[in-house]
Amino acid sequence: MFDYKEAPSGQRPAEPQTGRDSARFGTRQTGSSTMGGSMGPVLHWLHDVAAVTLLKARRTLFQAAVLFCVLGLLLWVSIFLYGSFYYSYMPTVSFSAPVHFYYSSDCDASESELCSFPTANISLLKNDRDQVMAYGQPYRISLELELPESPVNEQLGMFLVKMSCYTKGGKMLSSVRRSTMLHYRSTLLQTLSTFFFSPLLLTGMTEQKQLVEVELFSAYKTNTYQPTVGTVIEIQSKRVQIYSSQLRIHAYFTGVRYVLYNFPLTSAVIGVGTNFAFLGVIVLFSYLQFIWGGLWPPDQVRIKVMMGDSTRMQQRREEVKKRMEKENSQKELDYPKVIGSMNDASDDQADDTVVTQSSKTSFVEVNATEADVPKSKKDVSPDSVLPEEIDQRETTLRQRYGQSKSL
């Protein structure tokens, strides 16, 4: 059958490979087709799973983006509301204005005295429009005087500082006088201070002066109807020597304003958090109202109809309505025939009255059944009746109509 070639020594003769190759090739084809058939549904399933997962991921990402935008907007609005409240509720904490004294110099006086008391007029309006002091808020008003340690001021002793507040029309509201003087320093202390600070004094980095603070009002409140727009400060001494002076107004807070001023970070966190929670509740209720119709949606009454779609139900109602009208018209035509047949069937005059009575009773019964039918059929609209009720009423109508015919 097969031709065998002589193999070299030490090797086995070659066997025919035709049958094995064909069998092996056929096995490979069958295995590949089986594997392809089994992998098809798996690939389809993987494709569906990937599509559904991608859709869910996109939906989740979109919802997260919307939620992040809403939260960011709520946070921004909360910060804006707290900032507006703080700006409108908190008055000016401190106000400082330089005081420039003026006095008359047209008199013939000695070198150590002035012709008049040093006086200064200070406006208490910011930008000539806004008031510095809020209504009902207590303020501490003080005057800082920078006085040199000169022999004239040391010999001056005590002197008075007068402050008068006035309204827009120039009416004086309140006036106060306070006394002050230089702090005492002995000759030895002055000598030691000059010796130790001589380098700074020689270079001009420091000076021999004192800063004297005079408290004029401890709790000044402006009137709502007559607000304070300015003040006049007068130093009641003609020998005083002044380098410079400052008028300082500082608000004395109590209650909520004290907390807002002394604990700004804690107040900001609490205020922004409260606004955020309030706005979040409003947005949540609005979302529930838009989605469900309210926080507690009303119970929905569901009617189960054993019919098809709405078109079939409408056709059924129209057919029942036409049938009812047709039967009513037939009944109106059949009633006289029944009564006439009953009158013709009587042979005797004696039985005529009996037949007449029986016909009357039957006619009354027919009329009674006819009166019952409109109450149950005509008063109720066919559109508002369910198909099951329509079938039951139709059967009762046929039974009554059969009874009336038998009579």
Side-chain angles (χ1 to χ4, degrees):
M1 296 285 300
F2 299 96
D3 295 333
Y4 294 95
K5 296 181 180 180
E6 295 182 359
S9 59
Q11 295 183 359
R12 296 180 60 183
E15 296 180 358
Q17 301 294 332
T18 307
R20 288 185 186 177
D21 293 340
S22 61
R24 189 177 301 172
F25 183 73
T27 305
R28 289 181 180 177
Q29 288 182 350
T30 305
S32 62
S33 61
T34 304
M35 184 179 297
S38 62
M39 289 296 293
V42 175
L43 293 176
H44 285 294
W45 179 76
L46 290 175
H47 182 268
D48 295 339
V49 170
V52 172
T53 305
L54 181 61
L55 181 61
K56 290 183 178 180
R58 291 176 58 187
R59 184 178 301 173
T60 304
L61 183 62
F62 177 74
Q63 293 177 356
V66 172
L67 180 62
F68 178 77
C69 294
V70 171
L71 293 178
L73 180 62
L74 291 179
L75 181 61
W76 183 84
V77 173
S78 301
I79 296 174
F80 176 76
L81 290 177
Y82 177 77
S84 302
F85 166 76
Y86 187 88
Y87 179 78
S88 61
Y89 184 72
M90 290 295 293
T92 303
V93 178
S94 61
F95 174 77
S96 178
V99 180
H100 302 287
F101 292 101
Y102 60 91
Y103 55 89
S104 60
S105 60
D106 55 352
C107 63
D108 187 10
S110 61
E111 297 180 357
S112 60
E113 291 184 359
L114 303 176
C115 296
S116 63
F117 294 150
T119 308
N121 190 359
I122 303 171
S123 176
L124 299 181
L125 296 176
K126 293 185 298 183
N127 301 325
D128 296 333
R129 182 180 57 184
D130 300 329
Q131 295 184 6
V132 173
M133 294 182 288
Y135 304 128
Q137 172 63 41
Y139 289 91
R140 180 180 179 270
I141 303 176
S142 62
L143 179 66
E144 291 183 356
L145 296 174
E146 191 176 1
L147 304 176
E149 293 180 346
S150 61
V152 176
N153 286 337
E154 290 178 356
Q155 295 176 5
L156 178 63
M158 295 180 64
F159 58 92
L160 292 176
V161 177
K162 180 182 177 181
M163 181 177 180
S164 302
C165 299
Y166 59 90
T167 61
K168 188 175 182 180
K171 180 181 178 181
M172 291 295 174
L173 295 175
S174 60
S175 178
V176 67
R177 288 182 176 91
R178 294 290 183 266
S179 62
T180 185
M181 64 177 295
L182 282 176
H183 298 284
Y184 173 74
R185 297 178 67 184
S186 63
T187 307
L188 179 60
L189 182 60
Q190 291 180 0
T191 303
L192 293 176
S193 175
T194 305
F195 177 75
F196 282 108
F197 291 100
S198 58
L200 300 178
L201 293 173
L202 292 174
T203 56
M205 298 179 65
T206 185
E207 296 178 358
Q208 290 181 333
K209 60 183 180 180
Q210 291 185 16
L211 186 64
V212 179
E213 183 178 5
V214 184
E215 183 180 3
L216 301 174
F217 289 96
S218 59
Y220 181 81
K221 294 183 180 179
T222 183
N223 193 357
T224 306
Y225 301 101
Q226 294 179 347
T228 303
V229 298
T231 181
V232 176
I233 299 176
E234 183 181 16
I235 306 297
Q236 294 183 349
S237 176
K238 295 182 180 181
R239 299 178 59 195
V240 65
Q241 296 177 351
I242 302 172
Y243 278 156
S244 63
S245 63
Q246 291 279 338
L247 179 66
R248 299 190 181 276
I249 301 175
H250 187 79
Y252 180 74
F253 295 132
T254 57
V256 179
R257 289 176 176 173
Y258 177 82
V259 176
L260 292 176
Y261 177 72
N262 293 280
F263 306 97
L265 183 60
T266 305
S267 303
V269 172
I270 295 175
V272 173
T274 304
N275 292 334
F276 185 83
F278 181 73
L279 294 175
V281 170
I282 293 178
V283 171
L284 179 61
F285 282 177
S286 302
Y287 177 77
L288 294 179
Q289 181 69 27
F290 178 75
I291 298 298
W292 292 349
L295 185 59
W296 292 280
D299 297 334
Q300 297 180 357
V301 181
R302 298 180 179 180
I303 302 175
K304 296 182 180 179
V305 181
M306 304 301 295
M307 295 287 291
D309 53 357
S310 59
T311 56
R312 293 179 56 189
M313 186 184 299
Q314 187 69 22
Q315 293 177 359
R316 178 68 175 174
R317 289 174 180 174
E318 292 178 357
E319 291 177 358
V320 171
K321 187 176 181 180
K322 292 179 179 179
R323 190 181 303 170
M324 291 171 59
E325 293 177 354
K326 184 177 180 180
E327 290 178 354
N328 290 332
S329 61
Q330 289 179 357
K331 283 191 295 182
E332 291 177 356
L333 296 175
D334 292 341
Y335 287 155
K337 293 180 180 180
V338 173
I339 296 173
S341 62
M342 292 178 65
N343 291 328
D344 293 338
S346 59
D347 296 334
D348 299 328
Q349 294 293 333
D351 295 334
D352 189 12
T353 58
V354 178
V355 173
T356 305
Q357 292 177 358
S358 63
S359 63
K360 288 181 180 180
T361 55
S362 62
F363 183 75
V364 170
E365 290 178 359
V366 171
N367 291 333
T369 56
E370 185 179 3
D372 293 338
V373 171
K375 289 182 180 180
S376 61
K377 295 296 181 178
K378 294 181 180 180
D379 295 340
V380 181
S381 62
D383 296 336
S384 63
V385 182
L386 297 178
E388 292 84 349
E389 297 179 0
I390 293 174
D391 294 336
Q392 292 178 1
R393 293 181 182 182
E394 186 178 357
T395 53
T396 54
L397 180 61
R398 289 179 178 178
Q399 290 177 0
R400 290 181 181 180
Y401 180 70
Q403 291 176 4
S404 64
K405 275 190 174 184
S406 63
L407 292 175

